[in-house]
Amino acid sequence: MILVMYFDYEVKKMGIFSFISSCASSVVSAVCSVGKCVAQGVSSLAAGIGKAVIKGATTVLKTGAKYLAGIAVKGGFLGTIAGGAAKLFGMAAGVLSGPLGMILGPIVGELIIKAAVEAITYVAKKMGIIEEEEKPEEIGYRLEEAENHPDWDKRDDYYSTKEYYEYLKKQIPDTDLDWKKIHEHSLEYATLGTEILRTSISEELNISFPVEFLLEIGRCRIDGAELMNIIEKFIKEGYELDIVRDYLRGRLKGITKKQVETSLITAMSKAHPDWAESDIKNRIEGMTLAGKQDEAVAWMYKDKIDELKELPEDEVRITGSRIDYGNDR
């Protein structure tokens, strides 16, 4: 399994305001405040992570970025999509810097990418862009494979990206998918697929959905339900998604900041109807801290980082450009 398959997408998350313990049927409880967590620094998070895991995550990001960059230079629709995917890889890999960045940077970077993939895929399925059983890595594989068939239809032959992908599914049915190749390049293909889904969501809703917002999804560990409600609420209010990014980065002031914050509270409350108001505010506080401070992003994924410390060193290996843990861990 790839490193970030340890990311439990269905478990509710409250963010970095606490050392977290989560449970699928209840709100995450806080053990310490946001300020205390970040004040302790990220050195304690890095302690105990095996060298094989660090080397593996570094290899995955470097190999993946190189793979996507190689596709991007081909140009056309595939090149544009690959360029966006490569940009996400680059932005995610650069979140943490300094000595600790050498240790946690690649791990956090991969977690950020996976979180964005999961959230976008969730929204795309809810919108009916893809079927419930479809995986984003299948989408990316089909798009790259189409490059080998110059006689096939192009993206410009179709009104929407969604329609073009429907065509590709007919050209490459499930029975023709090369799962060995998909397995070896799962993160790259998943990110390519996410870029197609991001483009489709943008087209379907007629909104600006910049690739930079994918980074914010990952930095703040925004899940699918949260993202879907944020998009719905901000479209209704006439906002672009960039304003959410500006809010999380602390760039808004005065009445605009207050209005955006109110809209965000409403969206998050709808995503978590069983959460108390204080839980919603804590979640947003954690998101804004992760939006402004790179170290806080690492705390957002503390539970996942702690899990990695338990992995036996001798089970970590690289397959293609992904990390495998023996016995399909």
Side-chain angles (χ1 to χ4, degrees):
M1 257 189 192
I2 194 166
L3 168 66
V4 288
M5 287 300 289
Y6 289 91
F7 179 98
D8 184 357
Y9 177 65
E10 296 298 330
V11 175
K12 292 182 179 178
K13 312 174 282 292
M14 283 302 294
I16 60 171
F17 67 94
S18 68
F19 291 99
I20 59 178
S21 62
S22 51
C23 155
S25 61
S26 65
V27 176
V28 180
S29 60
V31 180
C32 73
S33 68
V34 178
K36 288 181 181 179
C37 279
V38 176
Q40 293 175 18
V42 294
S43 58
S44 61
L45 287 180
I49 298 178
K51 292 182 179 179
V53 173
I54 299 168
K55 181 179 179 181
T58 302
T59 301
V60 165
L61 288 186
K62 287 184 177 179
T63 305
K66 183 177 180 180
Y67 188 89
L68 292 168
I71 299 175
V73 298
K74 296 179 180 180
F77 180 68
L78 172 61
T80 298
I81 294 297
K87 186 174 184 178
L88 178 59
F89 261 73
M91 291 188 298
V95 165
L96 295 180
S97 60
L100 286 174
M102 299 285 289
I103 300 173
L104 288 177
I107 294 170
V108 172
E110 194 177 354
L111 289 167
I112 285 173
I113 294 169
K114 185 62 177 181
V117 169
E118 294 278 3
I120 294 296
T121 302
Y122 177 97
V123 173
K125 289 180 178 181
K126 291 296 183 182
M127 290 179 60
I129 293 173
I130 56 173
E131 300 298 326
E132 185 62 36
E133 67 277 6
E134 289 186 76
K135 299 178 180 180
E137 51 265 44
E138 299 172 20
I139 304 172
Y141 170 79
R142 284 187 169 104
L143 181 64
E144 187 193 26
E145 184 63 20
E147 178 74 9
N148 299 324
H149 300 274
D151 56 318
W152 287 6
D153 292 353
K154 306 301 181 186
R155 165 64 183 88
D156 290 344
D157 296 323
Y158 293 87
Y159 175 74
S160 68
T161 300
K162 178 183 177 182
E163 290 177 353
Y164 175 57
Y165 181 62
E166 288 295 327
Y167 165 76
L168 292 184
K169 285 200 292 184
K170 293 177 182 178
Q171 297 300 103
I172 310 175
D174 290 349
T175 53
D176 290 347
L177 292 171
D178 184 345
W179 282 106
K180 182 176 183 296
K181 188 174 183 181
I182 293 173
H183 174 84
E184 291 183 349
H185 298 284
S186 59
L187 191 60
E188 298 99 298
Y189 283 143
T191 312
L192 282 173
T194 297
E195 271 296 278
I196 291 183
L197 296 178
R198 179 185 68 84
T199 300
S200 295
I201 292 169
S202 179
E203 292 172 356
E204 294 290 315
L205 299 177
N206 193 28
I207 60 171
S208 172
F209 196 146
V211 65
E212 288 81 4
F213 192 69
L214 291 181
L215 181 68
E216 228 57 45
I217 292 170
R219 286 179 66 99
C220 301
R221 202 170 170 179
I222 296 173
D223 68 21
E226 291 172 341
L227 177 60
M228 184 176 67
N229 282 285
I230 287 171
I231 291 174
E232 289 180 349
K233 178 61 177 176
F234 279 76
I235 286 178
K236 183 178 180 181
E237 297 294 330
Y239 291 121
E240 297 286 355
L241 291 179
D242 266 342
I243 202 168
V244 180
R245 188 166 187 258
D246 288 340
Y247 173 82
L248 294 173
R249 292 295 178 107
R251 297 169 181 163
L252 301 182
K253 305 293 181 183
I255 186 65
T256 301
K257 177 182 178 181
K258 183 62 178 178
Q259 289 172 339
V260 170
E261 183 177 88
T262 299
S263 295
L264 192 56
I265 289 173
T266 300
M268 297 298 285
S269 297
K270 188 175 180 181
H272 303 289
D274 55 334
W275 285 14
E277 181 179 354
S278 59
D279 295 326
I280 296 297
K281 290 183 177 179
N282 278 332
R283 170 63 173 131
I284 294 174
E285 182 182 0
M287 289 166 60
T288 56
L289 197 58
K292 290 181 286 189
Q293 298 184 25
D294 291 347
E295 286 192 352
V297 179
W299 280 108
M300 185 67 80
Y301 291 101
K302 180 185 182 298
D303 56 328
K304 301 295 109 184
I305 293 170
D306 284 346
E307 288 178 12
L308 295 175
K309 297 176 183 179
E310 304 300 320
L311 296 176
E313 286 281 289
D314 59 357
E315 290 188 13
V316 181
R317 63 182 183 272
I318 300 296
T319 301
S321 58
R322 56 172 276 147
I323 300 177
D324 279 323
Y325 300 107
N327 302 317
D328 292 326
R329 178 184 286 273

